[in-house]
Amino acid sequence: VKSVVKLLDAGPVFKDDIVALAFWMRDRWNSPLGLSLEAFFPGRLADQCAFADAFQEPDSIAAVEVPALSGFAAEAALRIGKAIGRGFPSAFLLETPPGLAREKIFTALCARARASGGQALLMVPDLNVMPPFAETLTQAFGAQSLAFWHSRLTPRQRKETWTGVLSGRKRVVVGTRSAAFLPFKNLALAIVDSEQENIYKQEEAEPHFHARDLLLKRSRAHGT
C-alpha cells in the first residue's frame, strides 16, 4: 500500500466511463484491458498535462458563415441538424449524390453542433482526404477552435489538440480513427466519412477496435 502524494485531476478527465469502455472493447474485439485504457491517454499525456487548468468554460461562441445549401444538401443538413443537442443518441446514414461536396454539409452540421455549445468530430479514413475538409472548416471556424488528430502530429501538436479537446476550447476536430479516443467534454456531433472503409478497423495492432462502433458507444454518454 502506497500513500497518495497528490491529486492530479480536479475532476474526471473523460465524461464517459473509459473503464467500462475498456471492458466492452475486451469483450467485443478481445482487446487487452491495459492497452485499451492506454489508448485514451496516448503518449502518456496524463503525465504531461496540468488538468487543473483544463476544466474551464470555453469562450463565447461567435457566429460563423457556412456554405449555402440547397436541394438534397439543405434537406439532409436540416434533418440531421434537428437531432443535434436533443439530449439522446441519434444515428444517420448519409449517401450523397455524385459530385456533391460533402464538406459543405459537414461544415453546416459542425456549425450547428458548435452553436449548441458542443463539440464536433469529423473522422476521415486517411490523411489523403483530410485537406479539402480542413480548408473548408478552417475558413468557416478559424484556426483557434479547429483541431486535427492523426499520426503525423508532433508531440507538441498532439498535446495541444488533446488538452484543447479536453477543455472544450477546440470545438471542431478533424481526425483519423484514433480520434475516437479523444477526451471530448461535450461531443454533440460525430461524423464518420466513408464509414464503409475497412481502415476504420484496427486489426494490425492491439488494441483492436472499430472507430465507428466505438464512437456509437461513446455517444450514449454524451447524448449525441
Side-chain angles (χ1 to χ4, degrees), residues 1-214:
V1 178
K2 296 183 179 180
S3 301
V4 175
V5 177
K6 63 179 178 179
L7 178 65
L8 294 177
D9 308 329
V13 175
F14 285 81
K15 182 174 181 177
D16 34 355
D17 189 348
I18 62 171
V19 175
L21 283 170
F23 276 97
W24 176 76
M25 291 173 64
R26 180 200 64 182
D27 297 338
R28 180 70 178 272
W29 297 294
N30 196 31
S31 296
L33 286 174
L35 292 178
S36 297
L37 288 169
E38 188 177 11
F40 289 93
F41 296 93
R44 297 192 178 277
L45 282 168
D47 297 334
Q48 304 172 23
C49 306
F51 294 139
D53 298 328
F55 291 89
Q56 302 174 355
E57 288 301 319
D59 297 333
S60 59
I61 302 302
V64 299
E65 293 185 6
V66 298
L69 301 176
S70 61
F72 172 86
E75 181 181 356
L78 178 63
R79 292 185 61 184
I80 300 174
K82 288 181 178 179
I84 297 175
R86 290 192 303 188
F88 55 89
S90 301
F92 296 87
L93 177 62
L94 178 63
E95 296 184 8
T96 57
L100 182 64
R102 302 191 307 279
E103 60 266 23
K104 291 184 178 181
I105 300 178
F106 295 165
T107 300
L109 293 174
C110 288
R112 178 69 178 268
R114 185 175 178 272
S116 73
Q119 295 165 297
L121 168 62
L122 170 55
M123 185 175 291
V124 296
D126 57 63
L127 287 171
N128 295 326
V129 299
M130 188 176 288
F133 292 122
E135 180 180 358
T136 303
L137 292 171
T138 300
Q139 290 176 355
F141 305 114
Q144 294 301 317
S145 64
L146 184 64
F148 299 92
W149 187 262
H150 51 79
S151 60
R152 296 183 184 176
L153 294 179
T154 66
R156 179 177 179 178
Q157 290 171 327
R158 292 172 69 83
K159 178 180 178 181
E160 290 177 351
T161 293
W162 203 85
T163 55
V165 172
L166 171 64
S167 68
R169 294 190 302 272
K170 296 299 184 181
R171 290 294 182 135
V172 181
V173 181
V174 183
T176 51
R177 65 187 181 190
S178 59
F181 293 98
L182 286 172
F184 291 99
K185 183 177 182 180
N186 181 16
L187 183 61
L189 172 70
I191 301 173
V192 181
D193 180 55
S194 303
E195 60 86 26
Q196 76 281 358
E197 296 290 342
N198 287 329
I199 192 65
Y200 288 122
K201 300 178 182 179
Q202 178 161 297
E203 300 175 318
E204 71 280 5
E206 293 179 326
H208 302 305
F209 68 95
H210 193 304
R212 179 200 61 205
D213 294 350
L214 180 57

